[in-house]
């Protein structure tokens, strides 16, 4: 547990103490090859300059901020775990900043958060990460950031991000329901300000179209990423003259709400109603039956995003000219469990009591 | 949204800029009454000295750390929300530090966390808050802290804490089950390193004794505060020759695991088996039937603890001689929902399949 010293770095990089100091203070008088050797030794030894001296000398901060606005505790905790894992790899600390994504002063609030706490950079999650005005305002103020967004492709806009292909995963879930024989499939939206929700809806619609099923707008219900909205949305769908035989909730909390609504109406899941969620949160394995879902590697996604951010910070701090790390995409994977099945041939749907 | 300036403080306190500056820098040349007026103006205006100048001048930090080791995301998020609420009241930032409470180097790790991030103090949650060796080691190093602990009374050991009377609340839950007619009541432990778990067990035993019911050790199962341990523990209890007619899980996640085990065995809850949890997490309202539980005001508890910590920091920073705020106790309240009921007279328990 002994903390590495500047002397350890000098020995490993085979340079003088003075040279290590120059690299740390980002002075220009060090040859590129030497600088690279020192930077590598610093990384390998997990060396950190004395924090007070460091702050005085070069103003480099070793804390980053995580910004989120999400009603799902499992999702937030998984995000935090991933960010913390990357922070620990590199000696950074984490400040958390739940925010109100509706705030008209959001950019100012985040700029103040960064300045007040002298943060080195921000990990922005959806929906903040998907607001171009906000991201531009932060970037213009020189705030280092990385975004976690929903997108089928790298936006390639020059800013670092990790993107999750929610649309393709939602397509797969819908296709799974169609292949079980369902034609009347309900869809419950998540938070409308989250691009993921629109992407999941787009995947749902596209799969129906590809299989020649007419999209019935009555089967699509707005809401947020919460259990309560899943419960309410399902009640509404199940009260239709022709209720759906399957419901796709935009996340696992919504799907759990659908399950509760079905149970309270005496409907047998999965034989009278199939239910699918999204995310593979612990939630999806703790219901009875367990939920079919799309496994979204939230922790790995957050870790990778944070690595991108920190790599950028280090490049900046050490004036490293290496190629920047590339944006990375993730595709959630279909996980089939007990909540989806073919309709029982003889089944007629029980109407909610 | 304009940030208050030192000039605003001076005007409100009716003193010179120089005097405000002396108070901020904790110089001794200010009369006590004047100091109090300035301190109050600073609090009312939510004034913060310029962060960089502040760090250089007096080393006072405006970030605190939250230390936890808990497998329950709902519980952690509620704690974070409460701590953040108190931070926002006072302009502090929050760093989070999930820790391994088993680590033999825990004290060193936390001291390094505080020093590296220049934190003003720590909010310690259980089980770390309940380890005397750890708390003493931190206090000896001059680290400001507040503890959230399980205890029937204020430990009155000179260190700030908020204490939760888990024992009395568990007594009430057990009494509720007894009053429904149950005599054969199972108990599933939570994390053994958390004092709350022992306190809840003590409340359970005491209620049985008070009602003249012999404590049957076969009905008490060890485990952790998780859904999976609830599921496993319930399977074990339900496989007994004489299974319990009611099960008290030490938190809502455990109780949800019990519910899943009962459902998978075709047992009708509550008529063939009553189930109670603890905490009133959203979890307890999202199961079917909803869980009887004890409402623990986790967010309010964490907010109050953080207020104690920050009040202490300000007293120290501003050399305030006011009476320190007092430790505060909380008593979780019984909430009766659909998962507990009298046995149906004709019922015979279904054995698990």
């Amino acid at each position: 547990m002994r903390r590495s010293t500047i002397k350890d770095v000098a020995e490993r990089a085979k340079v003088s103490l003075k040279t290590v100091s120059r690299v740390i203070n980002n002075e220009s008088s060090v040859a590129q090859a030497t600088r690279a050797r020192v930077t590598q030794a610093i990384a390998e030894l997990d060396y950190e300059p004395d924090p007070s001296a460091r702050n005085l000398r070069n103003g480099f901060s070793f804390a980053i901020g995580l910004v989120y606005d999400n009603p799902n505790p499992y999702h937030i905790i998984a995000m935090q775990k991933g960010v913390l894992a990357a922070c620990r790899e590199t000696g950074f600390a984490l400040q958390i900043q739940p925010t109100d994504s509706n705030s008209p002063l959001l950019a100012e609030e985040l700029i103040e958060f960064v300045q007040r706490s002298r943060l080195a950079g921000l990990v922005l999650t959806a929906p903040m990460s998907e607001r171009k005005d906000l991201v531009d305002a932060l970037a213009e103020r020189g705030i280092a950031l990385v975004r976690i967004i929903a997108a089928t492709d790298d936006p390639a806009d020059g800013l670092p991000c990790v993107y999750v292909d929610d649309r393709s995963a939602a397509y797969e879930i819908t296709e799974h329901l169609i292949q079980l024989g369902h034609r009347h499939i309900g869809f419950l939206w998540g938070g409308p300000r989250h691009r993921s929700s629109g992407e999941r809806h787009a995947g749902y619609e596209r799969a129906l179209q590809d299989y020649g099923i007419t999209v019935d707008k009555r089967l699509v219900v707005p809401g947020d990423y919460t259990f309560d909205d899943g419960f309410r949305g399902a009640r509404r769908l199940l009260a239709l003259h022709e209720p759906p035989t399957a419901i796709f909730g935009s996340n696992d909390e919504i799907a759990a709400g659908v399950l509760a609504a079905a149970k309270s109406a005496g409907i047998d899941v999965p034989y009278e109603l199939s239910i699918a969620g999204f995310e593979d949160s612990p939630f999806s394995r703790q219901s009875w039956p367990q939920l079919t879902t799309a496994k979204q590697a939230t922790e790995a996604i957050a870790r990778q995003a944070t690595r991108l951010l920190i790599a950028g910070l280090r490049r900046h701090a050490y004036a490293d000219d290496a190629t920047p790390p590339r944006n990375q995409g993730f595709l959630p994977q279909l996980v089939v469990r007990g909540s989806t099945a073919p309709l029982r041939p003889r089944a007629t749907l029980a109407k909610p009591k």
Side-chain angles (χ1 to χ4, degrees), chain A residues 97-154:
Chain A
Q97 185 74 348
T99 55
D100 174 1
S101 58
N102 280 324
S103 166
L105 293 168
L106 191 51
E108 288 73 16
E109 286 167 21
L110 293 180
I111 290 165
E112 186 185 336
F113 171 53
V114 168
Q115 290 178 340
R116 181 186 278 231
S117 297
R118 312 177 116 205
L119 299 178
L122 295 179
V123 178
L124 289 185
T125 63
M128 285 72 70
S129 55
E130 297 167 342
R131 272 181 52 183
K132 187 170 168 9
D133 61 327
L134 177 67
V135 171
D136 286 349
L138 296 175
E140 268 166 31
R141 291 291 290 265
I143 292 174
L145 56 85
V146 68
R147 299 161 297 167
I148 299 172
I149 63 173
T152 48
D153 290 302
D154 187 346

Side-chain angles (χ1 to χ4, degrees), chain A residues 1-17:
Chain A
M1 273 302 288
R2 186 178 73 91
R3 195 192 270 197
S4 301
T5 65
I6 191 168
K7 200 151 161 284
D8 298 327
V9 175
E11 280 170 9
R12 191 176 194 106
K14 299 192 174 55
V15 297
S16 69
L17 290 183

Side-chain angles (χ1 to χ4, degrees), chain A residues 146-197:
Chain A
V146 68
R147 299 161 297 167
I148 299 172
I149 63 173
T152 48
D153 290 302
D154 187 346
D157 55 6
L159 291 172
C161 79
V162 166
Y163 54 100
V164 181
D165 188 354
D166 290 86
R167 191 188 303 200
S168 298
Y171 185 103
E172 279 188 54
I173 286 180
T174 311
E175 186 172 47
H176 161 70
L177 294 170
I178 294 169
Q179 288 174 346
L180 289 173
H182 297 282
R183 293 292 174 273
H184 219 54
I185 302 172
F187 180 86
L188 300 185
W189 275 73
R193 295 190 310 280
H194 290 249
R195 198 185 292 161
S196 58
S197 197

